[in-house]
Amino acid sequence: MISFQNVAKRYPGGHEALRELSINIDAGEFVFLTGPSGAGKSTLLKLIALIERATRGSVIVNGLNTARVTRRKIPAYRRNIGVVFQDHKLLYDRPVFDNVALPLVIAGMGRRETQRRVRAALDQVGLLGREGHAPVTLSTGEQQRVGIARAVAARPPLVIADEPTGNLDPALSVDIMQLFERFNEVGVTLLIATHDLELVNRLGHRQIKLAAGRLVDDGTTVSA
Amino acid sequence: MGFFAEHARQLVAALGRLAQHPGSTLLTIGVIGIALSLPAGLRVVVNNGRVLAGSWEHAQDFTVYLNMEVSMDAAGILAQQIRGLDDVADVTFISRDDALEDFKRYSGFGDVMRALDSNPLPHALVVRPRTDLEPNAIAELAKVLERREETDLVQLDTAWVDRFRAMLDISRRAVDLATALLALAVIVVIGNTIRLEINNRRREIEVTKLVGGSNAFIRRPFLYLGLWYGFGGGLLAWILINIGLQALSGPVAQLTGLYTSTFRLAGLPWLESIALLGGGGLLGWLGAGLATSRHLAAIEPQ
């Protein structure tokens, strides 16, 4: 599903966020991306979402070399990837329904089908019945679940998340991770960047460890 | 169906967005409306001038003043002769006695005239050329009549009509120029308003791009916003012009009444009204198009 080959990313100004990184993630995997701040976790996710482009090496997502995705084709490319952010990135001037429906409206889906899918997505995150609420009236954990519902509403095969539990207390974090596990069970590939090592170790999924832009452990070789 | 339904929805949504900030919306529409009402209003004025000039077809009349020695009978015969000419539509004979009566009544010099012991005015013939006659032919006809020995003086009154028409032509050009400049101003005003709106909604644009919104998709609500601004401005201009015409119609009727003319101030014909509203909308669309193509691409998610 995701393949990095000798990828380097150097930002203007000279900061090398990733160096000679090679990883492979198969379809249907549930992978944690860990490492200290500045290890390059966010950069790696940005390369997948084409928010940034690799300086060297190739990034292949869903069989597509991202270097060949032109600016014009980026929107269509992004529709196949669900993205969850630490700060949710919700539109606060619109109700929950509109937030979750956004990717479906963009995809040009009909009204009836949109309503059906928004309800289904909200049902999966446990927020059915809150369609008309304003995001600010929800708790932080609920807002993050709205963000997740938006990421999965269009049923993308790949969902990436950048510190999705960064602002949540431990109990809520577990809730969110279990939510991700349920999506993984129905075949969605998940790549989640987090620094919550305790939670990662408890859930026991594959873990890709980065430090200073380099791969420390890609989680495929069994470690004690 | 889905496509049009979506566009209709966004059109209404853009209107709803404007209604959320009635103060700034009205201010913007006010500026656009005033900018549009200037050229449209001037156009109405010039159009009325053309109608007025058209009603002066009979201003091609000229007056032949006869020598003082020509008798009443001879003048009558002469009038008959001129009436028989090919280029002449009609001749009105004004005897020197009638002329004196008119002069006493309208000039305000009645008492002075009464002090005179004889009538100083000559007989006169008002010659109306055929309406299809060219200005040159009219001048030719006037010359022919001037050469007759009964004639003292021929007074041709068309020069000022020609001048008026020439001025009208210049005004029309000037209005065209003003229209182009103010249309440009409207595009700039709407473009700037849309640019501010884009800045206000930067976050939303970023998020929409992140979940796969194309530039066309993100652009659409701004284009509709521009369309509404322009259309609203056109509507306001139309209202302003009609208020102006209402305010002017009374005094104009009074003025034309003094000239015993039946001239009536013409409003905006429905075709031009539609052009004003549609043109306003089009300018808004253009302004928004320029602003979005310049500023949307610069907003990328970080």
Side-chain angles (χ1 to χ4, degrees), chain B residues 103-114:
Chain B
F103 194 79
K104 276 181 187 163
R105 200 176 306 146
Y106 296 116
S107 70
F109 290 114
D111 291 335
V112 180
M113 299 310 284
R114 262 187 282 282

Side-chain angles (χ1 to χ4, degrees), chain B residues 128-196:
Chain B
R128 172 161 302 171
R130 271 195 357 247
T131 48
D132 56 339
L133 225 50
E134 296 292 320
N136 288 342
I138 294 171
E140 195 57 41
L141 175 66
K143 249 180 231 162
V144 169
L145 296 180
E146 182 137 48
R147 278 198 289 272
R148 296 189 72 111
E149 59 184 63
E150 298 97 327
T151 307
D152 178 37
L153 177 73
V154 172
Q155 198 171 355
L156 204 54
D157 278 348
T158 58
W160 70 274
V161 175
D162 290 340
R163 279 190 211 119
F164 182 80
R165 285 193 179 136
M167 265 154 48
L168 216 53
D169 273 344
I170 293 170
S171 321
R172 272 170 63 194
R173 295 264 160 86
V175 169
D176 283 347
L177 207 65
T179 304
L181 283 175
L182 286 161
L184 213 61
V186 168
I187 288 177
V188 170
V189 167
I190 291 176
N192 196 46
T193 307
I194 296 297
R195 184 182 63 82
L196 293 174

Side-chain angles (χ1 to χ4, degrees), chain A residues 1-4 7 18 21 23 25 31 33 40-54 58-62 64-67 69 74 77-83 158-161 189-193 208, chain B residues 210:
Chain A
M1 174 62 78
I2 300 171
S3 169
F4 278 54
V7 172
L18 294 176
L21 186 76
I23 53 168
I25 296 171
V31 181
L33 188 61
K41 304 189 295 289
S42 292
T43 300
L44 193 152
L45 294 181
K46 282 178 182 174
L47 291 180
I48 293 171
L50 276 183
I51 296 168
E52 296 288 348
R53 286 182 184 272
S58 62
V59 177
I60 293 161
V61 177
N62 225 342
L64 197 69
N65 188 340
T66 56
V69 178
I74 287 178
Y77 168 86
R78 284 191 185 140
R79 279 173 222 160
N80 286 314
I81 303 171
V83 189
L158 170 66
V159 171
I160 59 179
T189 308
L190 278 141
L191 178 59
I192 300 167
I208 294 175
Chain B
L210 273 174

Side-chain angles (χ1 to χ4, degrees), chain B residues 59-259:
Chain B
Q60 291 166 334
D61 292 5
F62 55 85
T63 309
V64 179
Y65 294 101
L66 304 180
N67 285 322
M68 292 302 283
E69 305 87 54
V70 177
S71 70
M72 184 88 173
D73 291 341
I77 291 163
L78 183 62
Q80 278 302 332
Q81 280 175 359
I82 294 173
R83 202 171 281 130
L85 293 176
D86 275 350
D87 289 344
V88 175
D90 194 19
V91 174
T92 309
F93 172 54
I94 298 169
S95 73
R96 47 190 304 197
D97 295 338
D98 289 345
L100 184 65
E101 275 311 305
D102 280 355
F103 194 79
K104 276 181 187 163
R105 200 176 306 146
Y106 296 116
S107 70
F109 290 114
D111 291 335
V112 180
M113 299 310 284
R114 262 187 282 282
L116 296 170
D117 30 335
S118 69
N119 181 356
L121 299 175
H123 295 303
L125 304 174
V126 176
V127 178
R128 172 161 302 171
R130 271 195 357 247
T131 48
D132 56 339
L133 225 50
E134 296 292 320
N136 288 342
I138 294 171
E140 195 57 41
L141 175 66
K143 249 180 231 162
V144 169
L145 296 180
E146 182 137 48
R147 278 198 289 272
R148 296 189 72 111
E149 59 184 63
E150 298 97 327
T151 307
D152 178 37
L153 177 73
V154 172
Q155 198 171 355
L156 204 54
D157 278 348
T158 58
W160 70 274
V161 175
D162 290 340
R163 279 190 211 119
F164 182 80
R165 285 193 179 136
M167 265 154 48
L168 216 53
D169 273 344
I170 293 170
S171 321
R172 272 170 63 194
R173 295 264 160 86
V175 169
D176 283 347
L177 207 65
T179 304
L181 283 175
L182 286 161
L184 213 61
V186 168
I187 288 177
V188 170
V189 167
I190 291 176
N192 196 46
T193 307
I194 296 297
R195 184 182 63 82
L196 293 174
E197 182 73 12
I198 287 171
N199 274 341
N200 285 341
R201 292 165 71 179
R202 177 172 280 270
R203 230 185 79 85
E204 179 187 337
I205 293 166
E206 273 181 31
V207 171
T208 308
K209 283 194 174 184
L210 273 174
V211 298
S214 64
N215 273 332
F217 177 86
I218 294 169
R219 209 173 174 183
R220 218 174 289 148
F222 294 105
L223 292 178
Y224 282 131
L225 219 52
L227 186 73
W228 281 122
Y229 275 129
F231 183 81
L235 189 65
L236 179 63
W238 186 85
I239 292 168
L240 287 175
I241 287 168
N242 280 291
I243 290 172
L245 284 170
Q246 276 299 315
L248 283 177
S249 68
V252 167
Q254 212 173 2
L255 179 69
T256 54
L258 289 177
Y259 284 95

Side-chain angles (χ1 to χ4, degrees), chain A:
Chain A
M1 174 62 78
I2 300 171
S3 169
F4 278 54
Q5 282 156 23
N6 304 317
V7 172
K9 174 63 186 178
R10 176 201 284 266
Y11 283 104
H15 173 60
E16 292 227 32
L18 294 176
R19 307 160 200 242
E20 294 304 311
L21 186 76
S22 295
I23 53 168
N24 240 307
I25 296 171
D26 290 333
E29 276 198 90
F30 190 117
V31 181
F32 281 120
L33 188 61
T34 63
S37 297
K41 304 189 295 289
S42 292
T43 300
L44 193 152
L45 294 181
K46 282 178 182 174
L47 291 180
I48 293 171
L50 276 183
I51 296 168
E52 296 288 348
R53 286 182 184 272
T55 314
R56 277 194 312 279
S58 62
V59 177
I60 293 161
V61 177
N62 225 342
L64 197 69
N65 188 340
T66 56
R68 300 228 178 89
V69 178
T70 59
R71 254 180 95 88
R72 279 173 50 98
K73 288 190 177 149
I74 287 178
Y77 168 86
R78 284 191 185 140
R79 279 173 222 160
N80 286 314
I81 303 171
V83 189
V84 179
F85 307 91
Q86 180 174 2
D87 60 353
H88 332 311
K89 290 207 190 297
L90 300 180
L91 302 178
Y92 289 97
D93 58 342
R94 306 195 190 176
V96 168
F97 181 94
D98 289 13
N99 271 281
V100 177
L102 185 61
L104 305 174
V105 173
I106 287 169
M109 198 168 281
R111 193 186 187 80
R112 196 174 289 263
E113 180 68 5
T114 300
Q115 279 176 347
R116 208 178 61 75
R117 291 226 191 169
V118 169
R119 285 222 191 81
L122 285 174
D123 190 24
Q124 282 168 312
V125 301
L127 289 174
L128 194 60
R130 302 286 193 88
E131 291 95 323
H133 288 224
V136 284
T137 64
L138 304 179
S139 71
T140 316
E142 286 168 334
Q143 288 186 26
Q144 186 56 290
R145 284 192 277 162
V146 173
I148 292 168
R150 182 180 67 191
V152 300
R155 298 180 189 163
L158 170 66
V159 171
I160 59 179
D162 192 3
E163 303 282 2
T165 60
N167 294 329
L168 304 180
D169 63 46
L172 282 174
S173 299
V174 172
D175 277 357
I176 296 290
M177 288 305 177
Q178 284 172 345
L179 202 52
F180 282 130
E181 283 181 328
R182 282 213 291 281
F183 289 117
N184 181 237
E185 278 162 21
V186 295
V188 178
T189 308
L190 278 141
L191 178 59
I192 300 167
T194 180
H195 55 246
D196 191 346
L197 290 176
E198 196 206 332
L199 189 60
V200 170
N201 289 331
R202 198 152 52 140
L203 292 171
H205 295 287
R206 177 182 168 191
Q207 189 182 155
I208 294 175
K209 290 182 190 164
L210 297 180
R214 291 180 198 278
L215 187 66
V216 175
D217 179 1
D218 88 341
T220 48
T221 50
V222 182
S223 56

